[in-house]
Amino acid sequence: MLPTILDLTSLRAAYEAGKSPLDIIEIVIARRAASRDPAIFITPTPDDILRTEARALMERAPQPNSLPLWGIPFAVKDNIDVAGLPTTAACPAFSYQPEKDATVVARLRAAGAIVIGKTNLDQFATGLNGTRSPYGAPRSVFDKNYVSGGSSSGSAVTVASGLVSFALGTDTAGSGRVPAAFNNLVGIKPTPGLVPNVGVVPACRSVDVVTVFAPTVGDGVAIRRVMEGYDAADPFSRKAAPSSLPASGLRIGVLDGAEREFFGNRHVEALYDAAIERARALGATIVPFDYAPFREAAELLYNGPWVAERLAAVKDFLATNAADFDPTVRTIIEGAKAYDAVAAFEGRYKLEALRQKTGEEWEKVDVLMLPTSPTTYTVEEMMADPIVKNGHFGRYTNFVNLLDCAAIAVPAGFDASGHLPAGVTLIGPAFTDDALAPFADAMHRTLNAGMGKDRLTTIPEASRVPSADDGLVPIVVVGAHLTGMPLNHELTRPGGRHIKSCRTAPDYRLFVLPDTVPPKPGLVREPGFDGKGLEVEVWKVTPEAFGRFVQNIPAPLGIGKVTLDDGSQISGFLCEAHAIEGAREITQLGGWRAYVTGQSIRK
């Protein structure tokens, strides 16, 4: 019998024990039908299509857990495109049928995940509370009178109630973090640009981020790694430059003095203080810091010219369909008309001045730990004062994307009556996404508050996030070992972890090796060759698995140092030069996956 919360460890164990993706889909269908919150989904994937997709996955990859997310059910916020399902952004008149998946959805599907449906949101991702939708207001899984948090409201509830293993949200002002706090979940908010936004209806295009709701930090990080990677079709996409944090003695900045604002919610304040003590017990050095410049930066997002970006995203639709907007959303977006180009530049100047001031605070600390939300409200309270009370939720979240930070939101426990949950968020400089994860995971584990609505379950040991010095060996794969390819199971079965998708340096060429089963490419470095780099993946395996892996590599392939597009060098597959004589070159295709896809289409 499956547990309430469908974490990756539990599902993978079920598959190893003989369950099939079709079995899991039937359970998900039954749970979805029994759900008591009618506002979670805008468009559920029809039952027959779910069954068809499960069967197709079993045909494509028959070996259990042979893909990183083999048979894993997930939900998608309805401002992110899923081919075959409409995108509404919670505005029926805006609805359209996307021709293809958003980049992140395509990558997750290639890794074996199955889309269960499109979830409800604050209309046009404008809000942090989850009540601004004509499809209803999803509720906290702990009390139907309370908001679920937004704008990614439905996504968080699907995970917390056990309908899916993870869900995608988006985060401009905190929408990938506040719903996590209100539903006892983890919220993974990547550094802006780490995960591409192609196929996402923008709120503020320059600072939007696709996020992950998951039961554990380990699950969320694994899913983010599948999604991330540069996409030239997104003008704000960036090539990752991972940044480290101290392995021990982490200096954690906490609120002090007048900047500690909880709007009268003493329960959340007490949980924040308890989180500080847990961090101290885990070896962190607690450092009070001045939040004022961060708060001033946060205020720019809604009380400055950045609100004009929200108008830029929907100006043509607003001009013809103003009556179709949620009244509060319309008020916020139309407020952008008060700003002109001069105000935009003045806002940019102010943000950069504040960035310098926050830099002085960053010199004191390695990481910030803030309340994810300083309070919560009932649906009735929120509807009575929607702009002010929504603003309370964003006090400690709105600055994070503007100041180019990574963040992981984790549960912080329940109030004194054991009724409602709260959360804290660990925030680091750009590209500390992986470096934040071990401490965030430790904070979650020491809390012992379960996952989602199951408050008694224990976080699986298999999802533990190892420290930076994890003893695992990185390896670059280029062909049949890529995600979704025939030999990927040689990495996944011994517990290999996908670290990132990236490209090689420009001076590599790729060839189809003749008479190889399954078909394999040959990667050769040619100094001076000026290409665009080739698609590769970086995985990590145990030293024992790496040794067995290397021992079984057939000639003319071997292991050597592969230079990546960020300049790093990692051991990976290379080919002896003599083997490519007369072989077909496919360098121009950009990678092995493009070649295999082309072959399939021709067949």
Side-chain angles (χ1 to χ4, degrees):
M1 183 175 178
L2 284 177
T4 300
I5 302 303
L6 302 178
D7 62 282
L8 297 187
T9 299
S10 296
L11 274 190
R12 287 167 176 163
Y15 287 141
E16 288 291 344
K19 291 283 187 184
S20 74
L22 191 56
D23 296 328
I24 300 304
I25 286 301
E26 292 296 348
I27 291 171
V28 168
I29 289 171
R31 288 187 179 186
R32 190 175 66 181
S35 172
R36 297 181 180 179
D37 190 337
I40 297 174
F41 289 98
I42 291 178
T43 307
T45 304
D47 296 354
D48 58 340
I49 293 179
L50 287 176
R51 295 182 180 109
T52 298
E53 292 194 359
R55 294 188 186 100
L57 173 65
M58 295 161 66
E59 292 179 5
R60 172 165 68 99
Q63 203 71 17
N65 297 323
S66 56
L67 297 174
L69 298 174
W70 194 78
I72 303 298
F74 75 109
V76 179
K77 183 176 180 179
D78 198 18
N79 62 337
I80 303 173
D81 288 347
V82 175
L85 299 177
T87 299
T88 73
C91 181
F94 180 79
S95 179
Y96 65 90
Q97 288 285 346
E99 295 181 358
K100 61 181 181 179
D101 291 333
T103 298
V104 291
V105 173
R107 290 174 179 177
L108 292 166
R109 281 178 148 174
I114 299 173
V115 179
I116 301 305
K118 304 293 290 296
T119 56
N120 204 353
L121 66 151
D122 281 325
Q123 191 179 75
F124 293 111
T126 301
L128 285 173
N129 64 84
T131 69
R132 301 171 179 175
S133 170
Y135 298 97
R139 309 303 175 102
S140 163
V141 296
F142 298 102
D143 189 328
K144 66 180 181 180
N145 293 312
Y146 281 80
V147 298
S148 61
S151 59
S152 310
S153 51
S155 288
V157 175
T158 60
V159 181
S161 57
L163 300 182
V164 294
S165 297
F166 70 94
L168 301 187
T170 61
D171 188 310
T172 304
S175 299
R177 293 162 276 158
V178 171
F182 292 172
N183 291 280
N184 198 34
L185 292 174
V186 169
I188 304 290
K189 191 220 71 72
T191 299
L194 180 63
V195 173
N197 289 331
V198 176
V200 178
V201 177
C204 292
R205 189 184 298 272
S206 67
V207 291
D208 290 342
V209 178
V210 176
T211 64
V212 180
F213 294 103
T216 74
V217 175
D219 285 7
V221 169
I223 293 153
R224 188 213 77 218
R225 285 172 174 159
V226 173
M227 298 195 306
E228 71 183 32
Y230 179 74
D231 185 342
D234 176 4
F236 291 98
S237 184
R238 298 155 74 185
K239 296 180 180 179
S243 183
S244 62
L245 292 168
S248 61
L250 203 62
R251 299 174 301 162
I252 293 187
V254 301
L255 295 173
D256 188 39
E259 292 299 332
R260 288 173 61 96
E261 175 60 79
F262 293 87
F263 302 101
N265 194 323
R266 66 183 187 279
H267 298 294
V268 176
E269 184 171 15
L271 291 172
Y272 179 61
D273 288 336
I276 291 172
E277 292 310 308
R278 287 203 317 281
R280 197 192 310 272
L282 287 169
T285 300
I286 303 302
V287 182
F289 77 104
D290 183 9
Y291 182 66
F294 296 88
R295 173 175 48 77
E296 291 180 51
E299 291 168 357
L300 290 173
L301 195 60
Y302 277 103
N303 298 316
W306 272 267
V307 75
E309 258 201 298
R310 294 185 182 271
L311 177 58
V314 295
K315 64 181 186 302
D316 294 337
F317 183 74
L318 179 65
T320 58
N321 294 78
D324 293 310
F325 279 71
D326 173 271
T328 302
V329 172
R330 178 179 172 181
T331 296
I332 292 168
I333 293 178
E334 287 187 334
K337 296 176 181 178
Y339 299 96
D340 58 13
V342 173
F345 280 104
E346 289 175 342
R348 175 65 186 276
Y349 301 154
K350 184 173 182 179
L351 178 63
E352 294 309 312
L354 289 168
R355 193 188 306 276
Q356 289 192 343
K357 290 183 178 180
T358 62
E360 296 173 9
E361 298 305 308
W362 280 115
E363 291 179 1
K364 305 173 186 176
V365 301
D366 302 305
V367 171
L368 306 180
M369 186 170 73
L370 299 174
T372 303
S373 175
T375 190
T376 188
Y377 296 109
T378 65
V379 171
E380 184 178 357
E381 289 170 333
M382 181 59 64
M383 298 292 281
D385 194 4
I387 292 180
V388 171
K389 284 186 165 50
N390 183 89
H392 292 173
F393 290 174
R395 183 178 179 90
Y396 300 116
T397 60
N398 286 359
F399 76 89
V400 176
N401 287 346
L402 283 175
L403 293 180
D404 199 25
C405 296
I408 299 178
V410 295
F414 289 76
D415 60 25
S417 65
H419 183 210
L420 294 172
V424 294
T425 300
L426 293 162
I427 302 163
F431 298 117
T432 55
D433 303 81
D434 284 330
L436 283 171
F439 196 84
D441 182 50
M443 286 289 291
H444 190 195
R445 290 176 185 276
T446 57
L447 181 64
N448 295 318
M451 302 178 289
K453 72 176 182 180
D454 189 348
R455 296 168 52 180
L456 301 179
T457 191
T458 301
I459 299 173
E461 182 61 29
S463 71
R464 183 179 295 275
V465 180
S467 62
D469 183 17
D470 55 17
L472 300 179
V473 180
I475 185 170
V476 176
V477 296
V478 66
H481 288 90
L482 291 169
T483 298
M485 296 296 169
L487 299 182
N488 185 251
H489 65 89
E490 293 184 0
L491 294 169
T492 59
R493 289 216 156 209
R497 293 193 291 115
H498 177 268
I499 302 303
K500 64 177 180 177
S501 299
C502 55
R503 304 185 78 82
T504 67
D507 55 351
Y508 284 88
R509 299 172 67 184
L510 195 66
F511 298 82
V512 179
L513 296 179
D515 304 321
T516 54
V517 181
K520 300 180 183 69
L523 180 68
V524 177
R525 186 176 190 185
E526 183 177 308
F529 178 74
D530 188 19
K532 296 182 179 179
L534 297 159
E535 177 197 359
V536 294
E537 292 178 354
V538 179
W539 287 70
K540 272 191 171 184
V541 295
T542 64
E544 295 77 13
F546 182 79
R548 291 193 300 271
F549 198 66
V550 172
Q551 188 175 10
N552 293 328
I553 296 173
L557 300 176
I559 295 291
K561 292 296 183 183
V562 177
T563 303
L564 302 180
D565 55 359
D566 63 1
S568 63
Q569 291 189 325
I570 299 177
S571 296
F573 281 94
L574 290 171
C575 182
E576 297 178 41
H578 72 83
I580 64 170
E581 293 180 7
R584 177 185 174 187
E585 183 170 1
I586 56 171
T587 306
Q588 72 281 3
L589 298 179
W592 184 248
R593 192 183 306 280
Y595 168 73
V596 171
T597 300
Q599 292 293 103
S600 299
I601 292 173
R602 281 190 285 275
K603 290 179 180 179

